[in-house]
Structure formats: C-alpha cells, structure tokens
Amino acid sequence: MAKTKIKTEKAPFIPTTRAVAAHSASASLKPFSFECREPGPNDIVIQITHCGICHSDIHQVRDEWGGAAFPMVPGHEIVGRVSHVGRRVKGFKVGDGAGVGCLVDSCRKCDCCKSNEEQFCRKGPAFTYNGTLMDRKTPTYGGYASQIVVDADFALKIPKSLPLDRTAPLLCAGITTYSPLKRHGVKKGQQVGVVGLGGLGHMAVKLARAMGARVTVFSTSAAKEADSRRLGATSFVNTRDEAGFAEARTRLEGSFDLILDTVSAPHDLNGYLELLKNDGTLVVVGVPPTPAQVHHFSLIGGRKRLTGSLIGGIRETQEMLNFCARHKVASDVEVIPASRADEAYERTLKGDVKYRFVIDTSTLPA
Ligand code: NAP
Ligand code: ZN
Ligand code: ZN
C-alpha cells in the first residue's frame, strides 16, 4: 500500500512586513514596510491578526512624552497565530494563538527581571515599539503590522476560549488594570472606584467586578452611565455635573478601599483621595503629559496612599489572560481597518470609543 507522504517542510519566513507608521509627531499614519529580523532558536513568529489602539500609542506618536523615534509603527496590544517556532522554544506550536504586550525583552539578570517584573528592568526593558532591542541599536516596531518576531519568553499564550479580537486589548489595558487590582488585594465586598471609562477604565470595571468588588465609575461622559452598569458597575458619578459631583463626594467620602485612576488628561487627584477609607489607596495608571498637584493634607488625614502601576510582568500577564478565560472577561471592541487608525485616534481623544479600537491587520495595505 502506498504511504501518504506527510508534508513536513515549513512555510518559508518572509521578513518583509506590512505596516502603518507615523513619520513625525504631526503626520498621519501611512503605509510602511520594514524587514523583520531573522527568527533565532528562541524566537517565534506571530502572524498578527489584531492590534488594539492604546491611548499610549497616541501619546507616543504625538511625542507627548518626549523621545519619539520615527518612523514609528505603534501597537502593543498584539494577537495572532504562530507561524514559526525556533528550535529551542517550548510551549508554542504553529497555529497557536499568541500575543505580545508592551515588552519584547529585558536584561533578565537584575532583581526586577528575576522577580518576574521585567517592566521595571534596571537596565530598561526593550519596549515593543518606539524603542530598541537590548542591543540598544535595533529599532523595535509594534503591532500595526502583519507580523512580529519575538523571543518566546516574552510571548503570551492566548487561552483557546478567548476570541482574538476581544483579547488584543488585554495585552495592555487588561494587565495594566489587573496588576494593581490584584496587588492591592481587591476582593469580594470591597468598594472600588474607577476614574475614566475608556480602554483601561472599562477593563478595570470588568476585572474588579470579576474579583467580587462593588464598582463605582467616575466619568466626564454622562452618556456612558448605561454602559458602565452593563460592564458591571453598581454606581456612576458624572464628574462634569458640578452639583451632582459635589453631592456624590459628600455622600461617598471615606468609602472606597481602592480607586484606580485611568485618566489620560490633567485633572484633580485631591478630591479622589478624600473618597478613600483610612489607609485606602489611589492608584494612578493614566499618564497625562503634565504633573499633578497633590495637597499633603489629602494624604495625611486618614493615612491615604497614592501610588502608581506600570503594566505588569510577563508571568502576571499570562495569569491575567488565564483569569480572563476563567471569568469569561474580554474587551468591548470596535474592529476597524488599518486605513481608519487616524480617525480612531481622533475619536479616542474625544472619548468616543466603546471601549477599544482594534485594527484588523488583514486590511493592511499590500
Ligand atoms: P482612553 O481609552 O482614551 O480612556 C481615557 C479616559 O479618560 C477617557 O475615555 C475619558 O473617560 C477620560 N478622560 C479623558 N480626558 C479627560 C479629561 N480631560 N478629564 C477627565 N477625564 C478624561 O485611554 P486608555 O487607553 O484607557 O489610557 C488611559 C491612560 O493610561 C493614558 O494616559 C495611557 O497612556 C495610560 N496607560 C498607562 C499604562 C500604565 O502601564 N500605567 C498602560 C496603558 C495606558 P470618561 O469619558 O469616562 O471621562
Ligand atoms: Zn498601552
Ligand atoms: Zn533586568
């Protein structure tokens, strides 16, 4: 009997990568192509299917944090399917769902890397875009692109039950909100406040709710009230309504265990500190371009804590993805073609997003 010949040869790796890029802080995103590095034995190649648009992409493309390197291919909420697996890689096979967040490498030797907090690497991690690899020479390009070559140690496994498009935002918005909620011990019965109902904020609501907390949303957009309840919040405060906000502040003073502030623009923090219980914690994750002013009395009375949080390490990101699969949590997304990324930036700046734009990378120009 003739044996069926099993096809074993792999599809060839083609380094040419389709993308959209910003060429200056004021330019729109334009078609761009670049050559990915040749995958090594520790690398996988991911054919990107979707990439979320994080507000940090806008801050960086517009050089609001300084040090922008152009051409810039933004995007650090990357998901897709594995197409190549290096010979030393364990845990991934061709066809698996895989993701990349904000980090693609770190020194792996410092105390932070050794304690699985690569985001705080003492040498500075290699960020997914607008940075360089650890050789400090090779520029990194992000996920508004057709593929990415990444060391498998910095790639995430996407649980099979999670849909790829709705999972992309978990790689930044998800981990950035999960990490502080987890670290500060959010649990059943606690009162959590979420300031700003955007990409991060809506994930914070879903995750805090999944952890068992009662969630109050503080928003400048009255129109988001119904959504906030659908996402899992029990109450909503419109911070644009001066009288209503003043009444809510009196009513809610001293009642929150934790408040997570995700706002991307300058705003007052002192009012939120008043809402915390004694020893309660205000965590800022939003990064407005200008510094905040905090009155010392806001911290002294009631021993309030003001802290921040930066994404999360790779191990914790995997833990978050697994948590989301267990609790059936994913992002609310509007999937768009790459040609509408500029429009998505404008709409995000206006708060007109429900609740994360995600680029379908199959629409990238050839
Ligand atoms: P986003 O989707 O644009 O959401 C930000 C939300 O903030 C808006 O939807 C809006 O919510 C609120 N807001 C905007 N302007 C405001 C203003 N002038 N006053 C009060 N509220 C305002 O942004 P995102 O992607 O969630 O990112 C939020 C921030 O987190 C950005 O600064 C981003 O760079 C940063 N970030 C930090 C980390 C980290 O690791 N720490 C990671 C990712 C992103 P309402 O309409 O509900 O008011
Ligand atoms: Zn981000
Ligand atoms: Zn390190």
Side-chain angles (χ1 to χ4, degrees), residues 107-108 110 113 121-122:
C107 86
R108 304 172 190 229
C110 72
C113 288
C121 175
R122 303 276 174 204

PDB file of all heavy atoms in Angstrom, residues 107-108 110 113 121-122, ligand 3:
ATOM      1  N   CYS A 107      16.813  42.656  30.591  1.00  0.00           N
ATOM      2  CA  CYS A 107      18.179  42.140  30.837  1.00  0.00           C
ATOM      3  C   CYS A 107      18.158  40.718  31.383  1.00  0.00           C
ATOM      4  O   CYS A 107      19.099  39.970  31.214  1.00  0.00           O
ATOM      5  CB  CYS A 107      18.944  43.074  31.770  1.00  0.00           C
ATOM      6  SG  CYS A 107      18.689  42.757  33.533  1.00  0.00           S
ATOM      7  N   ARG A 108      17.084  40.343  32.041  1.00  0.00           N
ATOM      8  CA  ARG A 108      16.856  39.007  32.618  1.00  0.00           C
ATOM      9  C   ARG A 108      17.765  38.686  33.804  1.00  0.00           C
ATOM     10  O   ARG A 108      17.741  37.568  34.312  1.00  0.00           O
ATOM     11  CB  ARG A 108      17.011  37.905  31.562  1.00  0.00           C
ATOM     12  CG  ARG A 108      16.103  38.129  30.368  1.00  0.00           C
ATOM     13  CD  ARG A 108      16.417  37.160  29.288  1.00  0.00           C
ATOM     14  NE  ARG A 108      15.713  37.514  28.068  1.00  0.00           N
ATOM     15  CZ  ARG A 108      15.013  36.672  27.347  1.00  0.00           C
ATOM     16  NH1 ARG A 108      14.914  35.422  27.710  1.00  0.00           N
ATOM     17  NH2 ARG A 108      14.425  37.081  26.255  1.00  0.00           N
ATOM     18  N   CYS A 110      18.697  41.317  36.418  1.00  0.00           N
ATOM     19  CA  CYS A 110      18.569  42.218  37.564  1.00  0.00           C
ATOM     20  C   CYS A 110      17.506  41.691  38.538  1.00  0.00           C
ATOM     21  O   CYS A 110      16.790  40.733  38.233  1.00  0.00           O
ATOM     22  CB  CYS A 110      18.225  43.633  37.093  1.00  0.00           C
ATOM     23  SG  CYS A 110      16.536  43.809  36.492  1.00  0.00           S
ATOM     24  N   CYS A 113      13.954  41.685  36.979  1.00  0.00           N
ATOM     25  CA  CYS A 113      13.728  40.603  35.994  1.00  0.00           C
ATOM     26  C   CYS A 113      13.631  39.271  36.718  1.00  0.00           C
ATOM     27  O   CYS A 113      12.780  38.442  36.383  1.00  0.00           O
ATOM     28  CB  CYS A 113      14.859  40.566  34.970  1.00  0.00           C
ATOM     29  SG  CYS A 113      14.792  41.952  33.829  1.00  0.00           S
ATOM     30  N   CYS A 121      12.749  46.465  34.718  1.00  0.00           N
ATOM     31  CA  CYS A 121      14.149  46.061  34.489  1.00  0.00           C
ATOM     32  C   CYS A 121      15.091  47.246  34.736  1.00  0.00           C
ATOM     33  O   CYS A 121      14.893  48.338  34.207  1.00  0.00           O
ATOM     34  CB  CYS A 121      14.313  45.550  33.057  1.00  0.00           C
ATOM     35  SG  CYS A 121      16.018  45.186  32.651  1.00  0.00           S
ATOM     36  N   ARG A 122      16.107  47.022  35.576  1.00  0.00           N
ATOM     37  CA  ARG A 122      17.045  48.119  35.941  1.00  0.00           C
ATOM     38  C   ARG A 122      17.787  48.665  34.734  1.00  0.00           C
ATOM     39  O   ARG A 122      18.210  49.820  34.733  1.00  0.00           O
ATOM     40  CB  ARG A 122      18.088  47.617  36.959  1.00  0.00           C
ATOM     41  CG  ARG A 122      17.497  47.040  38.215  1.00  0.00           C
ATOM     42  CD  ARG A 122      17.160  48.107  39.224  1.00  0.00           C
ATOM     43  NE  ARG A 122      16.472  47.508  40.354  1.00  0.00           N
ATOM     44  CZ  ARG A 122      15.659  48.149  41.165  1.00  0.00           C
ATOM     45  NH1 ARG A 122      15.401  49.426  40.976  1.00  0.00           N
ATOM     46  NH2 ARG A 122      15.094  47.535  42.167  1.00  0.00           N
TER      47      ARG A 122
HETATM   48 ZN    ZN B   3      16.519  43.428  34.163  1.00  0.00          ZN
END
